[in-house]
Amino acid sequence: MAEAETNATPQPQATPEPPKPATPENNTNDVTPIEEEEQRESRRPKATAFKQQRLPAWQPILTAGTVLPTFFIIGIIFIPLGVGLLITSENVNEIQIDYTQCTRDNYTQGNQTISPSSSCADYVKNVSNFGTHCNCTVEFTLENDFKGQVFLYYGLTNYFQNHRRYVRSRDDYQLVGQKTNDVNQLATYCEPYRSIVPPGSNDSLPIAPCGAIANSFFNDSFSLTFLGQESQMMAPVTLRYKGIAWSTDKSTKFKNPGDNLTEAFANTYHPPNWHKFVYELDPDDDTNNGYENEDFIVWMRTAALPNFRKLYRKVYHEDGSHFAHGLPAGNYLLNIQYAYPVTKFQGTKRIILSTSSWLGGKNIFLGVAYIVTGSLCIIFGCLFLCIHLKHGRRQGTDVNALG
């Protein structure tokens, strides 16, 4: 059988085009296998014990033999330590005198002596009395001798110095003596106490110091008099302001812009709630004037809680005086120049006289916390011990029998 002939003619094959030269437009995969391997190697963590997690480790095995003794040891250590801290705190002598509603002293008006029945809180609440103060006195008794260094604090309640906008309302560069005379350089956080138009002027001046913290500066003042055991004497107690502020604040955070404070603060104005300029805080002592005033520095360190105290003065224990070794027991007279309003926000004011110990002032929290923690450890240790004795697996138990 003859093979069939095909009339189909063979088609010519297409000639392949020569490769185009590599250009940034058509070069989409120009990474060589070697470079790709190098990239993988660069992403691989180094072969170190730390990065490959080959460091030696120890994992405790929590058993009754290790946990129960730990509970009892913590309790045995913490309870005596808490008792010691509590005794140390109780040995600190302290007295607090609330003077929020103290009655105004008698005052002279013309030829008459007026005996007001209103309180100083009502006096300072009146807007027409802004820039003045009310005098009042509080008599109190120390039942025991306050031996050692005695500190005088003022305390405020319901006063939230920890509010975020209040804490930020200051300019630390201004407080170290910079940017005093230029409003535009002051921090915007100082608003609305950044600049002010003084009375009788059309020009805006920078406030020194600016901000809400400085504007709310505590301005009550106090003096103390010892009356004796039967109020038969009048011995003024010397109070000193040197050293009431932190030394780091005094030396680092607060600096005056120059030696001549009157010229340095010439183109500034005091905060709205002040009735004096910053260079008039203590004109008798150049080292305690302006931004370096220690009362001002103490106030600018804001408190973390709404009820707080701040150091006002230290009692000067002069050799040969009645107060050489502390404050003797007896009657005292506290003279107050009342100028700081607190009743608008339901706050109170108090004066605290206190000694100190190696632990600080009088504070029972730390001692109570140690006692409570130690007691809980003992209680839980006993509870876990009873559970272990009653339900724990005993030696010699056939594990296979339990199946």
Side-chain angles (χ1 to χ4, degrees):
M1 185 174 181
E3 294 182 359
E5 291 184 349
T6 60
N7 298 325
T9 60
Q11 296 295 330
Q13 295 182 355
T15 304
E17 296 182 1
K20 296 181 180 180
T23 61
E25 289 78 7
N26 56 27
N27 187 16
T28 58
N29 188 15
D30 58 351
V31 179
T32 63
I34 298 177
E35 292 176 342
E36 186 176 357
E37 180 66 20
E38 290 178 351
Q39 289 180 1
R40 284 198 298 268
E41 289 290 339
S42 65
R43 291 192 295 267
R44 184 178 301 169
K46 294 181 179 181
T48 62
F50 177 76
K51 291 191 175 183
Q52 296 296 334
Q53 299 184 7
R54 295 195 303 268
L55 291 174
W58 174 76
Q59 183 177 0
I61 300 175
L62 300 179
T63 63
T66 58
V67 174
L68 291 177
T70 303
F71 272 97
F72 288 115
I73 291 173
I74 293 176
I76 292 172
I77 294 176
F78 273 37
I79 291 177
L81 184 59
V83 172
L85 294 174
L86 199 59
I87 293 174
T88 301
S89 177
E90 290 297 327
N91 288 334
V92 174
N93 292 314
E94 181 179 292
I95 184 172
Q96 301 191 22
I97 305 105
D98 190 306
Y99 69 96
T100 309
Q101 299 293 339
C102 68
T103 305
R104 295 178 61 189
D105 290 343
N106 298 341
Y107 64 94
T108 302
Q109 187 174 15
N111 296 326
Q112 296 181 341
T113 300
I114 299 176
S115 300
S117 59
S118 61
S119 66
C120 282
D122 296 329
Y123 177 86
V124 299
K125 191 187 300 183
N126 192 339
V127 179
S128 61
N129 295 324
F130 176 76
T132 63
H133 63 265
C134 171
N135 293 318
C136 66
T137 55
V138 177
E139 188 172 343
F140 63 94
T141 302
L142 293 185
E143 301 294 340
N144 304 310
D145 293 340
F146 279 32
K147 297 181 180 180
Q149 178 66 64
V150 181
F151 303 90
L152 177 64
Y153 300 86
Y154 62 86
L156 298 175
T157 63
N158 203 35
Y159 197 113
F160 290 85
Q161 274 198 320
N162 58 353
H163 192 282
R164 180 179 60 86
R165 291 186 62 187
Y166 183 89
V167 172
R168 295 173 66 182
S169 186
R170 59 189 291 167
D171 190 322
D172 290 319
Y173 287 102
Q174 184 193 42
L175 296 175
V176 294
Q178 303 176 19
K179 303 188 311 183
T180 297
N181 298 324
D182 191 349
V183 177
N184 297 324
Q185 291 184 357
L186 294 179
T188 55
Y189 297 135
C190 286
E191 294 289 357
Y193 307 108
R194 188 184 182 199
S195 62
I196 191 172
V197 178
S201 174
N202 296 324
D203 298 328
S204 178
L205 295 179
I207 294 177
C210 73
I213 308 177
N215 185 61
S216 59
F217 180 36
F218 185 82
N219 58 345
D220 284 2
S221 58
F222 313 94
S223 62
L224 192 62
T225 304
F226 179 53
L227 303 179
Q229 293 288 348
E230 300 179 358
S231 301
Q232 78 280 8
M233 59 184 298
M234 295 283 288
V237 180
T238 304
L239 304 175
R240 305 186 71 175
Y241 59 81
K242 291 287 188 181
I244 64 172
W246 288 22
S247 59
T248 52
D249 289 350
K250 179 80 172 179
S251 62
T252 306
K253 294 185 177 181
F254 295 86
K255 291 292 182 182
N256 289 320
D259 295 332
N260 192 328
L261 299 185
T262 305
E263 294 181 359
F265 294 103
N267 295 321
T268 64
Y269 201 73
H270 60 73
N273 284 352
W274 292 25
H275 58 275
K276 62 174 67 174
F277 288 89
V278 66
Y279 55 83
E280 297 174 334
L281 291 178
D282 191 356
D284 297 328
D285 186 355
D286 293 338
T287 63
N288 191 52
N289 203 7
Y291 295 150
E292 298 177 10
N293 180 265
E294 297 208 27
D295 287 319
F296 174 70
I297 295 174
V298 169
W299 178 257
M300 293 297 291
R301 179 170 284 276
T302 54
L305 300 175
N307 301 334
F308 59 87
R309 65 177 66 179
K310 291 179 182 287
L311 184 58
Y312 179 74
R313 292 292 183 269
K314 295 179 180 180
V315 175
Y316 178 51
H317 303 290
E318 185 178 5
D319 294 337
S321 66
H322 296 285
F323 320 109
H325 305 289
L327 289 182
N331 299 321
Y332 287 83
L333 188 67
L334 180 66
N335 301 280
I336 305 167
Q337 289 186 351
Y338 194 118
Y340 200 79
V342 294
T343 55
K344 290 183 179 180
F345 54 87
Q346 290 76 48
T348 62
K349 299 190 292 185
R350 68 191 188 279
I351 279 292
I352 304 104
L353 281 169
S354 176
T355 58
S356 65
S357 66
W358 63 269
L359 191 61
K362 192 179 187 69
N363 190 349
I364 65 172
F365 173 78
L366 191 59
V368 171
Y370 270 95
I371 293 175
V372 171
T373 304
S375 302
L376 290 176
C377 287
I378 295 292
I379 293 172
F380 281 112
C382 294
L383 179 62
F384 294 152
L385 179 60
C386 293
I387 295 174
H388 173 67
L389 294 177
K390 186 175 181 180
H391 301 286
R393 193 180 68 185
R394 294 173 175 83
Q395 293 182 357
T397 303
D398 189 355
V399 178
N400 296 325
L402 296 176

